[in-house]
Amino acid sequence: MDARDFVIVGYGGIGSGVLEQILQCAEVEKVVVLSRSAHRHADARVQFRQGDVRCAESLAHVFAEVSSPCCVINTIGLLHGDNILPEKRLADVRKEALLRSIEVNTYSTIALAQAIEQNFSRKQAVSLVALSARVGSIGDNRLGGWLSYRVSKAALNMAIRSVSVEWRRTRPLNVIVAYHPGTVDTGLSQPFQGSVPEGKLFSREQAGNYLLDVINQLEADDSGSFKAWDGSDIAW
């Protein structure tokens, strides 16, 4: 992957971590960060844009600032917050929480894929990497629970797989991949870190480094795959 420009959607723990790793690459020319809040960065290559991933106009403004080949990284995700908690059993599932999880964890990447089609020609190479989670793997689900999060991430994985099939026909230069970052020391994982095995809780810097390593190794044949932080493939 020889992207010179990057778009990062979300500026939470993983978003900020991957930004700092990207900036260590001398060949990177520009990084545009789409965030709901205003931010600044000392590096002149970084441009923050305040907006909403669900807004086509916001995405059009962001994509107008980058050149192909580029890589778009969707780092936003919802596990808890706003009266949403991971469900321990079926009886805990609420429609509002499920739909909100799908909006954030699934639809955001679909909106980005649509915006890529609307703002880049078929001759421009664009990679889209979306943060998924191993708990979204149907084949790997042996514990149950966390229904809204699991369902929304499984739906994300299916969306990525379906887009990859379409893009192989219509946009063969594009790559779309689901990515599991492991457990990262962020607000999303904080309430659940007690059960994480020693050595498996990654810092933001580690998470950014692992993600960038995987991105740098992506090839056209990887489109539609589900990658783990170490580059291995995860069962759907």
Side-chain angles (χ1 to χ4, degrees), residues 132-210:
S132 185
R134 191 180 294 272
V135 297
S137 166
I138 295 174
D140 193 62
N141 185 359
R142 296 175 179 83
L143 296 176
W146 288 25
L147 238 78
S148 293
Y149 190 68
R150 286 185 185 273
V151 167
S152 62
K153 290 297 189 179
L156 167 63
N157 293 346
M158 178 59 79
I160 286 172
R161 187 70 168 181
S162 294
V163 171
S164 75
V165 172
E166 182 174 341
W167 277 0
R168 283 182 189 276
R169 297 193 308 266
T170 63
R171 293 172 176 266
L173 297 180
N174 285 8
V175 174
I176 183 169
V177 172
Y179 176 78
H180 168 60
T183 304
V184 184
D185 188 11
T186 66
L188 184 144
S189 70
Q190 197 279 329
F192 315 103
Q193 292 178 4
S195 60
V196 178
E198 185 176 355
K200 292 299 184 180
L201 179 62
F202 302 141
S203 68
R204 300 180 182 192
E205 293 75 17
Q206 284 177 296
N209 188 50
Y210 293 147

Side-chain angles (χ1 to χ4, degrees), residues 16-58:
S16 59
V18 72
L19 172 62
E20 297 310 316
Q21 294 303 314
I22 289 172
L23 293 177
Q24 293 184 26
C25 302
E27 64 271 21
V28 170
E29 295 179 1
K30 182 182 294 184
V31 186
V32 181
V33 183
L34 178 65
S35 173
R36 290 178 299 176
S37 304
H39 298 278
R40 291 184 179 180
H41 199 283
D43 195 308
R45 292 175 294 173
V46 180
Q47 298 180 7
F48 282 97
R49 293 295 177 261
Q50 194 170 355
D52 192 321
V53 70
R54 298 168 298 180
C55 175
E57 185 177 0
S58 291

